[in-house]
Amino acid sequence: MQRDVYSAIADPTRREIIGMLSGASLNVNELSDKFKMTRTAVSKHLKILKECGIVQVEKKGRERYCHAKLEALADVAIWVNQYRLFWNDNLDRLEELLKNEE
């Protein structure tokens, strides 16, 4: 199954993992300890994030460290920004209309 970035970020657990890894690299055990789910379940989420290129896992000795690759989210940021601009413009116009009604 071909996965894309949008399907990866659709899950709240995966978004939380991305958020944690955006601040620091964590090993798989540290990451698993932060969730109320099995290590296997966390590993499945990591697998999806790796397939989409959002997370990179690097083996150092016996540990596997996870790093966020936030540049993989660039397309999402562009897509979201077009809607942000749309809503900002429309809400600014609404604000002006309401001020003129006073």
Side-chain angles (χ1 to χ4, degrees), residues 3 23 86:
R3 299 185 198 275
F86 169 80

Side-chain angles (χ1 to χ4, degrees), residues 22-33:
S22 68
S25 296
L26 298 170
N27 70 35
V28 176
N29 289 327
E30 291 171 323
L31 198 55
S32 296
D33 290 345

Side-chain angles (χ1 to χ4, degrees), residues 34-76:
K34 298 184 183 291
F35 293 95
K36 292 182 180 180
M37 63 178 72
T38 64
R39 186 173 187 266
T40 303
V42 172
S43 291
K44 287 181 182 180
H45 285 293
L46 284 171
K47 179 182 177 190
I48 292 168
L49 292 170
K50 284 186 336 188
E51 289 173 1
C52 297
I54 300 172
V55 168
Q56 179 181 7
V57 179
E58 184 180 332
K59 191 169 183 174
K60 291 184 181 176
R62 293 177 22 175
E63 296 291 333
R64 295 184 319 145
Y65 286 88
C66 304
H67 315 277
K69 309 246 328 157
L70 300 179
E71 59 274 5
L73 298 174
D75 287 342
V76 176

Side-chain angles (χ1 to χ4, degrees), residues 81-94:
N81 194 47
Q82 71 184 353
Y83 293 100
R84 181 180 308 124
L85 294 172
F86 169 80
W87 282 109
N88 285 343
D89 290 346
N90 283 307
L91 291 173
D92 288 346
R93 278 186 281 187
L94 177 61

